[in-house]
Amino acid sequence: MLQAMRNKMHGWPSIIVLGLAVLAMSLFGMESYFTSQNDTFVAKVGKREISQNAFQNRMNQLRQQFSAQQGDQFDPATFEKQETKLRILDAMIDEQLLLQANADWGMRVSDQSLRDAIAGIPAFQVSGKFDPTSYRAYLANSGKTSAMFEDEIRSSLATQLLPQAIDDSAIISDQHVDDYLGLATQRRDLRYFLLAKPDPAEKQVTDAQIESWYKAHQADYMNPEQVSVKYVEVDGAKLTPKAAPSEEELKARYEEEKQRFVQPEQRLVSHILINVPANATPDQQKAALTTADKVAAEATPANFAALAEKDSQDLGSRRQGGDLGWLKKGVTNAAFNSAMFALQKGQISKPVLSSDGYHIIWLRDVRSGDSKPFAEVRDQLLQEATSAERDRQYNELAGKMADQTYSNPSSLEPAAAALDLPIQTTPLFSHTGGEGLAANPKVVAAAFSDDVLVQGNNSSLIDLGNNHSVVIHVDKHVPAAAKPLAEVRAMVEQSILEERIAAAARTQADEVLARLHKGEDMVAVAKSLDAKVVSVPGAVRGQSFQVPAPVLKEAYLLPHPSAPDKPQFAEVDMGDGGFAMVAVDKVQPGDLSRISPEEREMLHRQMAQAYAGEVTRELLETMRAKTKIKINKNLL
């Protein structure tokens, strides 16, 4: 409605409307004018609001995550469904309830936990350790301050405090574990045979039957709704900076950022390794130390390489005379690292014990942590400056495109003309996407949104990542329509025949099961149907791969046989229109002595987590019942 008003507010009618608005504000005051506006949050949990922006960010994040995980199988239309949006909003409401519980019960994320969480993010690590440079680079690229990012991580950790506390307090007894393992490792002696699919009693399909089926199942024979869109795009990779920075500018930048180019101190090292066996006895360790002391006493800079080739048990370096190359702090184990950095240039250490054995270390040279010279980093500075200028150009042009397409919502022409950008067009694509631009889930979601498809407006600026954005406008719209009967006639006929076969197969299975229940011998019954009984002693749930999965599943749903000669029978729908017969002859308890302590401990942990998850869910339901929650579905 607002868009329609924007399009139509021209001439003397607009003057009258604006005049009435001014009069209303003068009579009732500006405050009453603004307080009459609708809520702008998608949900309010107690006093906590979930904004439209926060909800949309979560939607976009999940859409991109699912797209990356599912690839070609991803259906962007899923995120347009109301039930999907409500599920996502429910999860965000649960987060707000958990945050409120933290506030009520005095639970908070410690600064140390926050630091540990950030330091543990793999993207911020180099050689397994937190790297401040990588962290600062991420903040710069994402446009976030450290405070903003820390708030995000703290909020994420805060929603885990209560579930983690419940998890830590969960008590799962050994008996619970034994009961579960007894069921999981239970063995069943079973027999089964497969029934051949019978021919349908009626093989002829009439025109009337085909037409009736087609009308009743028309949703199965639809051409999907499709659109093609026009679009203008700004791609930072295609922008050319107006001028390269001068040498003076590059040198000035180098002086300002010289600290960035400090090289870590490095040491040129060789070593000789004397192995100590794993779980070595005191005598073995003493013998290794005696050997290492002897080698260390003989070692000099002149003969070190020869001794390494003769005595070192490090196969990777002995052929190079023990040479390990240039090493910086932190790349070796702690004992080796401490000894290496305690040596002076040219010194040879006494034997140093590590998890590998005894090392004799020769420090051959030292490279101090000086800044790299300008000439060495000039190309890097030029690339960064060029990239920064390209970013600036992109942001400026994308901002202008957003303004232009918003100011002229019914067409891309004004923006294209003002910014000298071509208007391009995609082929038709459906809710599942298409090729090129239409393969992007953000574009597909925007193309089928109410604002773009129904109202006929330009989309907002769609960020495709890597300084690439577009604005789209629907070019063609092809509604979903049933395929002509002539086109799908063969498919309809086949569906009718398959339904008849399935019905005949179920009837046959019911009859065979009745024969078994009456006491007929299973082998005889199978033979009368040209089938063969397969016997599987000691079948285990989820592990007996020689048994078809549907048969094994049904076998474990059957009760225990009432007597050794009283098997339990069932018919099994194989899921392909066929059936099988299964008999359970004997049930044996699992052998818990075969479960390793590690497997038992892992299961104990999993059961505790499952229990904690259920308790957390019940707690959230209680909190929901006690909290006033308002949802604005019209803003989803």
Side-chain angles (χ1 to χ4, degrees):
M1 185 180 72
L2 292 176
Q3 187 57 56
M5 288 180 64
R6 180 173 64 178
N7 294 339
K8 296 176 181 178
M9 287 286 281
H10 299 288
W12 64 266
S14 64
I15 297 174
I16 295 175
V17 173
L18 290 173
L20 291 174
V22 171
L23 178 60
M25 285 186 282
S26 65
L27 290 174
F28 301 102
M30 289 291 288
E31 182 180 354
S32 66
Y33 176 75
F34 282 109
T35 56
S36 67
Q37 302 301 306
N38 293 329
D39 294 328
T40 58
F41 53 79
V42 294
K44 189 171 185 179
V45 185
K47 296 182 179 180
R48 297 170 176 266
E49 294 183 356
I50 300 175
S51 68
Q52 270 187 296
N53 187 49
F55 176 73
Q56 195 57 52
N57 285 342
R58 181 66 61 85
M59 285 279 291
N60 291 338
Q61 177 186 357
L62 291 174
R63 186 184 287 113
Q64 292 174 21
Q65 178 182 329
F66 275 75
S67 177
Q69 291 173 349
Q70 299 176 8
D72 294 340
Q73 303 300 317
F74 175 67
D75 181 7
T78 302
F79 283 84
E80 293 299 312
K81 296 177 180 178
Q82 189 77 349
E83 57 267 30
T84 301
K85 295 179 180 180
L86 287 173
R87 280 199 301 270
I88 294 171
L89 182 59
D90 267 349
M92 297 182 74
I93 289 172
D94 285 345
E95 291 173 3
Q96 294 303 317
L97 290 169
L98 290 171
L99 292 175
Q100 184 59 53
N102 292 346
D104 293 342
W105 298 335
M107 302 175 72
R108 62 181 296 275
V109 177
S110 68
D111 292 341
Q112 185 61 50
S113 297
L114 177 64
R115 286 194 291 269
D116 291 345
I118 293 176
I121 296 175
F124 304 152
Q125 293 183 342
V126 174
S127 299
K129 293 187 176 182
F130 177 72
D131 178 46
T133 303
S134 299
Y135 179 52
R136 288 193 294 268
Y138 166 79
L139 294 176
N141 291 335
S142 62
K144 298 176 182 177
T145 65
S146 59
M148 291 166 60
F149 182 70
E150 288 171 9
D151 284 344
E152 289 180 11
I153 300 300
R154 191 184 292 274
S155 295
S156 176
L157 293 174
T159 62
Q160 302 170 26
L161 286 176
L162 186 56
Q164 186 60 52
I166 294 173
D167 187 10
D168 292 341
S169 63
I171 299 175
I172 303 296
S173 69
D174 290 340
Q175 186 60 50
H176 286 139
V177 176
D178 286 347
D179 290 345
Y180 176 84
L181 287 172
L183 289 173
T185 60
Q186 184 186 87
R187 292 167 292 160
R188 295 195 167 202
D189 295 347
L190 60 91
R191 294 171 293 153
Y192 73 93
F193 65 88
L194 302 176
L195 293 172
K197 293 181 184 179
D199 291 330
E202 185 183 357
K203 296 183 179 181
Q204 295 298 319
V205 182
T206 67
D207 290 343
Q209 290 170 333
I210 290 175
E211 187 170 350
S212 176
W213 178 283
Y214 171 74
K215 289 179 178 179
H217 300 84
Q218 202 162 78
D220 297 334
Y221 307 107
M222 299 287 288
N223 283 315
E225 179 183 25
Q226 292 182 301
V227 296
S228 67
V229 298
K230 295 180 178 180
Y231 65 95
V232 288
E233 68 175 335
V234 177
D235 187 351
K238 298 177 182 178
L239 298 176
T240 303
K242 296 178 181 177
S246 65
E247 287 297 302
E248 290 71 20
E249 290 171 329
L250 290 176
K251 288 179 179 178
R253 182 167 182 167
Y254 170 75
E255 293 298 330
E256 290 174 3
E257 303 176 13
K258 205 169 187 177
Q259 191 62 31
R260 287 174 51 205
F261 305 110
V262 173
Q263 304 174 94
E265 181 178 345
Q266 294 179 308
R267 303 208 155 197
L268 185 60
V269 173
S270 294
H271 85 138
I272 298 170
L273 173 66
I274 306 301
N275 280 335
V276 176
N279 302 317
T281 64
D283 288 342
Q284 288 175 316
Q285 188 163 341
K286 184 177 179 181
L289 177 58
T290 300
T291 301
D293 282 334
K294 180 177 179 298
V295 173
E298 297 176 9
T300 66
N303 68 5
F304 196 95
L307 284 176
E309 290 182 14
K310 180 171 70 76
D311 296 326
S312 181
Q313 293 169 324
D314 177 8
L315 301 181
S317 66
R318 66 183 294 175
R319 293 180 180 178
Q320 286 76 44
D323 183 18
L324 295 177
W326 288 98
L327 303 177
K328 61 183 179 181
K329 188 171 291 187
V331 300
T332 62
N333 62 63
F336 192 106
N337 192 79
S338 296
M340 174 175 64
F341 276 87
L343 294 172
Q344 299 296 318
K345 180 179 176 180
Q347 282 187 326
I348 297 173
S349 74
K350 293 181 179 180
V352 177
L353 179 61
S354 78
S355 58
D356 302 320
Y358 286 100
H359 302 266
I360 298 97
I361 305 170
W362 173 29
L363 179 60
R364 292 152 52 201
D365 202 353
V366 176
R367 185 184 286 166
S368 62
D370 295 331
S371 294
K372 294 180 181 179
F374 170 75
E376 189 173 333
V377 299
R378 179 191 176 283
D379 290 345
Q380 179 184 344
L381 289 168
L382 177 60
Q383 183 179 4
E384 291 173 353
T386 303
S387 178
E389 174 60 19
R390 187 179 286 114
D391 289 346
R392 186 197 66 75
Q393 284 183 266
Y394 166 78
N395 291 329
E396 180 181 350
L397 189 55
K400 288 180 179 179
M401 183 169 74
D403 292 341
Q404 286 281 343
T405 52
Y406 178 79
S407 300
N408 304 278
S410 60
S411 174
L412 297 175
E413 297 284 352
L419 303 176
D420 193 25
L421 295 172
I423 296 178
Q424 304 176 68
T425 307
T426 70
L428 287 167
F429 59 90
S430 67
H431 283 274
T432 58
E435 298 179 354
L437 185 71
N440 188 289
K442 291 184 180 180
V443 173
V444 175
F448 285 97
S449 67
D450 179 82
D451 190 45
V452 175
L453 181 59
V454 180
Q455 303 297 329
N457 295 318
N458 295 329
S459 72
S460 58
L461 190 73
I462 303 172
D463 183 5
L464 304 180
N466 297 322
N467 282 357
H468 188 194
S469 57
V470 297
V471 175
I472 67 173
H473 191 95
V474 168
D475 181 39
K476 295 178 183 177
H477 176 221
V478 180
K483 296 178 181 178
L485 177 56
E487 183 180 332
V488 298
R489 182 183 180 86
M491 296 171 59
V492 172
E493 185 173 355
Q494 182 62 32
S495 296
I496 294 172
L497 290 173
E498 287 176 355
E499 185 184 61
R500 291 176 182 174
I501 292 171
R506 182 170 291 280
T507 298
Q508 180 192 47
D510 292 343
E511 293 171 352
V512 173
L513 183 61
R515 291 172 63 184
L516 294 173
H517 280 154
K518 287 178 180 178
E520 289 191 46
D521 180 68
M522 189 175 190
V523 173
V525 171
K527 188 175 182 181
S528 70
L529 298 167
D530 293 327
K532 182 180 179 181
V533 174
V534 179
S535 296
V536 184
V540 179
R541 189 196 316 262
Q543 298 181 26
S544 299
F545 302 112
Q546 74 273 30
V547 183
V551 173
L552 189 63
K553 180 179 179 181
E554 186 64 35
Y556 269 89
L557 293 176
L558 286 172
H560 292 207
S562 57
D565 59 344
K566 298 289 185 181
Q568 295 286 351
F569 296 103
E571 64 183 51
V572 184
D573 186 340
M574 299 300 289
D576 59 357
F579 283 81
M581 292 293 130
V582 62
V584 173
D585 297 314
K586 184 180 180 181
V587 176
Q588 305 173 67
D591 183 2
L592 301 188
S593 66
R594 302 177 66 180
I595 307 298
S596 69
E598 293 77 17
E599 290 174 316
R600 182 181 290 273
E601 177 58 31
M602 181 177 68
L603 177 62
H604 190 281
R605 182 74 255 161
Q606 291 172 344
M607 291 179 71
Q609 289 173 348
Y611 171 80
E614 184 63 19
V615 172
T616 301
R617 185 189 64 78
E618 293 176 357
L619 180 60
L620 284 169
E621 287 181 357
T622 301
M623 288 192 287
R624 277 177 177 265
K626 295 181 178 181
T627 305
K628 183 179 179 181
I629 299 175
K630 181 179 180 181
I631 297 176
N632 292 320
K633 292 185 178 180
N634 60 307
L635 298 181
L636 293 178

